[in-house]
Amino acid sequence: MKLLGLEFYKCRRRKILLVCAAVLAAQVVWIVSTFARQDAEDLLQGWMLLLYDLAMVDAIIMPISVAAIASRNCELEHKGTTLKLLETMTSPGALYAAKLAWGALILAALLIVRWALFMGVGILWQFPGEIPWLRMGLFTLISWAVSMMVYALQQGLSLRFPNQAAALVCGISGSFLGILSLLFPPALTRCIPWGYYGLLSLVGMNWNSDTRFTWFFWEQPQPADLVLLCLWAAVFLIAGRALFVRKEV
Amino acid sequence: MNIIETHDLCKQYGNALRVAHLDLDVPEGCVYGFLGPNGAGKSTTLKMILGLVRPTAGSIQVLGKSMDGKNRLAVLRQVGSLIESPSYYGHLTGEENLRIIQTLRGVPEKNIREVLQIVRLDGQRGKKAAHYSLGMKQRLGLAAALLGFPRLLILDEPTNGLDPAGIQEMRELICSLPGQFGMTVVVSSHLLSEIDQMADHVAIIREGELVFQDTLAALHGRSRHHLALRTTNNAVARSLLVQRDIRCTEEEGYLILPILSDENAAQLTRFLAENRLGVVRLEERQKSLEDIFLELTGRAVSL
């Protein structure tokens, strides 16, 4: 707990709130501008459309956002060559865990605010049907889980390489691959970590090529996909931690 | 009692043995100078002592305990360190930087003010560390090392980047620590003059190997006087001196003899003249500490 508290203390003046606000603003602008173009008929499935679009937006925006947040937290250790001081007072493993826990709390806070924001958008837009509180909650939980898997990868990279370009390039590539992978068959999407934002979406879409009519339906994530998500997270966590702990400072 | 003991300590990077079979003994309560040219392996050795770098072979004991994974953090609670450049968070103030160390070490908050006063940084405690000068950053690093008032302080080139006044200030501070706080200070440097003014024990390392370890007085003892003799035929003169049981070596055209009394020196010149050898030069010389250091570390190595 002491180390976790210090992570928040160290991130003073690192403009983490500003990064999070920018992520939320980008998502709100994106979604609201999409909805503004829809006609009344499309908005009959407003809640489903919202969750479907949010999953897509997550696949594009979250990889780079998670990379930026991890980099903001890890870069300060490289800049001031502080690891050689910290590691005389705590173990590298404990430090790694504290940073991961910090990322988990920041992403949780970001996504909870996002949940509240988009519930507000749906209510204000007066989407028909019952308000899907629970589904939005589950969607937030899934977004957090996928973001944590990506965060484990990004933290590993940000701590390994003093030059944050490597981690940020990975984040940018992730954003590109994340949305691109949704065009692939699911078997291939499963091989791309950033694709899980779309793969675990709670809303599916059908499109009739003759009538050019699109409709959405609720769906549940495949248990196998959830297991695979945990496996990816474990691989990134174990590899990143091992590289950090073994590194001589 | 030795506060640090290393036995057969080695560190290999690739095929190069950077630290080779090092046996260090640091007595408690002293200022221990760890001297060597750049790249000799000083920082690597100090990092191994702190457990930041894993030794390839050998053992390390600090404060009487083995520095293995189990003991490391417990032992390091009584050790302060400043390795290579100072560590700091540039976006935080000097005081905020120290608060992080204070929380991690679990020491009283009043220590922050105390160490800031010791390193004369209390007037700048609210300034961001990124805006400090190099000397101020070095002092902040020292304050961080002193924060827990440890029994052992390990300082790697602490005067790097300081101006002459700062060097003098740092030197005085280091010298005062054993007397004032009962600390043992290990201080590394590539400058002999610096160690000469601070340390009472010295170890000299060259290419990872320990070439000297003793008190500073013993190192000074090596700078004894000797005579340098040059004759018309040094080879013949040398054999004649050996016959008279006078030990000598030849260096750069001179025969190097132990110091002789005036009477013995007069007898020697007469003896050489009787053997038809002309004395061209007879000089009294003294090796400087610098000469000894260069002799021990090799003249080709840069200082």
Side-chain angles (χ1 to χ4, degrees), chain B residues 34-232:
Chain B
F34 193 37
L35 192 61
N38 292 330
K42 301 186 295 294
S43 296
T44 306
T45 304
L46 297 181
K47 282 182 179 178
M48 282 195 283
I49 290 170
L50 290 167
L52 298 173
V53 166
R54 278 175 290 279
T56 308
S59 63
I60 302 165
Q61 283 217 325
V62 178
L63 295 153
K65 285 183 183 159
S66 173
M67 280 294 280
D68 51 28
K70 235 178 1 182
N71 288 333
R72 193 179 85 87
L73 289 175
V75 171
L76 290 180
R77 267 186 217 122
Q78 300 178 72
V79 181
S81 60
L82 169 57
I83 299 293
E84 290 166 342
S85 52
S87 302
Y88 62 91
Y89 296 103
H91 63 290
L92 298 181
T93 66
E95 191 171 8
E96 286 169 343
N97 268 280
L98 293 179
R99 197 166 300 280
I100 291 172
I101 317 292
Q102 176 248 325
T103 309
L104 280 172
R105 285 202 177 274
V107 296
E109 211 175 317
K110 67 175 174 60
N111 287 19
I112 295 176
R113 282 289 174 93
E114 218 169 315
V115 293
L116 280 170
Q117 276 168 3
I118 291 173
V119 301
R120 292 177 201 163
L121 217 53
D122 42 339
Q124 308 287 335
R125 66 175 188 275
K127 197 171 165 179
K128 279 187 190 175
H131 300 152
Y132 280 7
S133 68
L134 188 56
M136 284 159 77
K137 284 174 187 162
Q138 200 78 352
R139 281 190 278 161
L140 179 66
L142 184 63
L146 285 171
L147 198 66
F149 291 98
R151 279 177 65 190
L152 171 64
L153 193 62
I154 295 177
L155 305 174
D156 187 15
E157 311 249 6
T159 55
N160 263 2
L162 297 184
D163 56 23
I167 291 173
Q168 173 77 15
E169 209 176 297
M170 180 72 83
R171 197 185 291 145
E172 281 168 10
L173 178 63
I174 289 170
C175 291
S176 72
L177 292 173
Q180 216 175 333
F181 303 107
M183 291 178 192
T184 305
V185 186
V186 174
V187 54
S188 83
S189 177
H190 60 281
L191 298 170
L192 175 69
S193 57
E194 202 168 272
I195 295 296
D196 191 26
Q197 292 174 71
M198 283 192 283
D200 35 43
H201 283 72
V202 190
I204 299 177
I205 184 174
R206 180 190 62 184
E207 289 170 7
E209 286 179 30
L210 191 67
V211 289
F212 179 86
Q213 181 175 233
D214 210 327
T215 59
L216 189 69
L219 185 66
H220 276 284
R222 290 200 172 197
S223 63
R224 62 190 182 278
H225 291 255
H226 57 262
L227 286 178
L229 170 70
R230 192 169 178 176
T231 66
T232 47

Side-chain angles (χ1 to χ4, degrees), chain B residues 7-12 19 21 48 54-60:
Chain B
H7 178 64
D8 206 22
L9 190 63
C10 300
K11 181 66 189 177
Q12 191 165 348
V19 175
H21 313 287
M48 282 195 283
R54 278 175 290 279
T56 308
S59 63
I60 302 165

Side-chain angles (χ1 to χ4, degrees), chain A residues 2-3 6 9-14 76-77 79-92 245-249, chain B residues 11 13 47 50 52-54 72-73 76 81 83-89 91-93 96 99-101 103-105 128 144:
Chain A
K2 192 160 69 174
L3 282 172
L6 282 178
Y9 192 81
K10 284 191 269 184
C11 284
R12 283 175 163 202
R13 302 185 200 105
R14 291 290 290 169
L76 47 87
E77 310 293 0
K79 265 186 168 175
T81 60
T82 48
L83 290 173
K84 63 178 190 277
L85 176 65
L86 294 177
E87 289 186 17
T88 61
M89 295 176 284
T90 186
S91 68
V245 169
R246 280 187 209 154
K247 189 180 174 188
E248 293 181 340
V249 291
Chain B
K11 181 66 189 177
Y13 288 111
K47 282 182 179 178
L50 290 167
L52 298 173
V53 166
R54 278 175 290 279
R72 193 179 85 87
L73 289 175
L76 290 180
S81 60
I83 299 293
E84 290 166 342
S85 52
S87 302
Y88 62 91
Y89 296 103
H91 63 290
L92 298 181
T93 66
E96 286 169 343
R99 197 166 300 280
I100 291 172
I101 317 292
T103 309
L104 280 172
R105 285 202 177 274
K128 279 187 190 175

